Amino acid sequence: MNSPAVLLDHYRTLACARQWRGFVRAFAGELAGALPPAECARVMGRIGERFATSHPLPACDDLAALQRACNQVWQYSDWGVAEFREGAVEVTITHIGDPLVALLGADAAWSAGFLEGAYRGWFRAAGMLPALDVHHCPGISADVTLFSVRRIA
């Protein structure tokens, strides 16, 4: 039977290559044991920004082109898929299939800092105004990570 729960469990098992699972879990445990969650998220954000710098995107004329460019990197890296939606006062980023969430679970919510930092780096490189920033938002499920690009509070 291919129930949604079984399919998601199967995905979560495959989300991180076997050779990296033990290392990533040990690294996350060490990080979480040494720092409070907010600082873990900041460290992951800096790693995400470094990732964005090392994976520069081509020039993008609009939000749809930026989404396509980001998804090319995510597809190549097996890191899920993103959808950008422009609202009246913010851009919403929905990211599905983050392998860190699949591997580490809800106890390591700070791991979303990696994606937050990557999107921050790419949006800044694309010309995001200095008054705006990328913010992690509460998600709708463990498999969907939400961000918004909005004014700095």
Side-chain angles (χ1 to χ4, degrees):
M1 175 182 229
N2 287 335
S3 73
V6 170
L7 292 173
L8 281 173
D9 285 342
H10 177 68
Y11 158 74
R12 288 183 193 107
T13 300
L14 299 176
C16 182
R18 188 173 308 150
Q19 71 203 55
W20 288 102
R21 289 179 200 158
F23 171 81
V24 172
R25 285 185 178 133
F27 178 82
E30 191 63 28
L31 190 64
L35 300 170
E39 188 58 27
C40 289
R42 279 191 284 281
V43 168
M44 294 300 287
R46 289 192 303 270
I47 293 168
E49 288 184 49
R50 186 177 296 259
F51 178 88
T53 299
S54 67
H55 294 80
L57 304 180
C60 299
D61 294 333
D62 58 24
L63 192 61
L66 185 59
Q67 176 184 304
R68 283 190 302 276
C70 289
N71 278 325
Q72 285 179 340
V73 174
W74 295 140
Q75 181 181 10
Y76 177 79
S77 304
D78 288 332
W79 209 275
V81 64
E83 178 182 86
F84 299 171
R85 264 188 245 123
E86 190 169 3
V89 295
E90 67 183 12
V91 171
T92 301
I93 302 168
T94 303
H95 191 102
I96 300 169
D98 175 356
L100 287 177
V101 171
L103 181 64
L104 301 176
D107 291 340
W110 49 262
S111 70
F114 171 77
L115 290 174
E116 182 181 82
Y119 288 122
R120 179 177 295 119
W122 285 330
F123 271 77
R124 283 181 180 160
M128 179 173 69
L129 297 173
L132 302 176
D133 199 8
V134 178
H135 303 273
H136 178 232
C137 305
I140 54 176
S141 83
D143 302 295
V144 178
T145 309
L146 299 176
F147 304 91
S148 68
V149 180
R150 63 180 189 269
R151 284 196 165 279
I152 297 171

